[in-house]
Amino acid sequence: LRSISVKSTKIDDDGLTSLLAYSWSHLLQRIDCSHCEKITDLGLGVIATRCTKSLQTLKLARCAGLSDDGIILLARLCHRLRHVDVRRVKNLTDRGARSLVARSYVYDKYSSVKKDISLSLSLFRTFCSINEPTHLSQIHPGTTNWKL
């Protein structure tokens, strides 16, 4: 088993802990937790510790219970992680985003002036100072979608 999706379910931190208690969890490369509003930094910590050596893609779009602390832990522990989708994670600030950018992850963050959750110019400059501009494959208006 290399991939699991709990997208749009009512799974919480306890459910995620139970799911990742199986012996195969350390082999997971892709996890989709998008739209799981009950997952918090505690659940993200479970993912980070159980999937440390294998996780490459993690989708967390619209996970309202996450914050910088969980994202920073994830960036610190999951060295193979290359794609993190954090669109519309409202509690994510530049502090958490910077930890992803510093690791040169693909970073997706929904940004909209109307929603007032856009990333700061200083974070974008940080990203550009770490990565050559030629590494940016696309930047869409309304969505900051940086790809290496």
Side-chain angles (χ1 to χ4, degrees):
L1 186 63
R2 303 276 183 214
S3 178
I4 60 168
S5 176
V6 292
K7 181 179 180 177
S8 300
T9 64
K10 295 184 182 203
I11 195 166
D12 60 9
D13 295 335
D14 291 336
L16 199 55
T17 301
S18 296
L19 181 64
L20 295 178
Y22 291 98
S23 61
W24 46 258
S25 66
H26 74 282
L27 301 172
L28 288 171
Q29 295 175 355
R30 290 173 301 282
I31 300 175
D32 187 350
C33 294
S34 301
H35 304 265
C36 293
E37 296 179 1
K38 294 183 178 184
I39 293 176
T40 69
D41 291 338
L42 182 64
L44 198 53
V46 171
I47 292 172
T49 56
R50 301 255 170 96
C51 306
T52 298
K53 295 181 181 180
S54 60
L55 192 62
Q56 297 172 18
T57 300
L58 181 59
K59 295 184 178 184
L60 300 168
R62 293 183 185 246
C63 289
L66 301 180
S67 72
D68 290 336
D69 294 334
I71 297 297
I72 290 167
L73 180 65
L74 182 75
R76 193 174 44 131
L77 295 180
C78 296
H79 300 287
R80 295 194 67 205
L81 192 60
R82 290 295 169 254
H83 183 269
V84 180
D85 180 353
V86 290
R87 289 174 291 155
R88 292 196 170 187
V89 175
K90 293 181 181 182
N91 296 326
L92 183 64
T93 69
D94 284 359
R95 187 172 75 94
R98 191 172 283 114
S99 69
L100 296 176
V101 171
R103 294 262 186 205
S104 296
Y105 296 143
V106 173
Y107 178 74
D108 293 329
K109 173 69 175 164
Y110 179 84
S111 64
S112 167
V113 175
K114 291 179 185 173
K115 297 289 183 188
D116 197 30
I117 56 172
S118 60
L119 296 179
S120 72
L121 182 57
S122 70
L123 178 60
F124 184 73
R125 286 183 180 144
T126 300
F127 179 81
C128 289
S129 71
I130 294 169
N131 300 284
E132 294 293 321
T134 56
H135 290 117
L136 297 174
S137 64
Q138 54 188 319
I139 299 176
H140 299 288
T143 302
T144 306
N145 188 8
W146 305 334
K147 296 194 176 188
L148 304 177

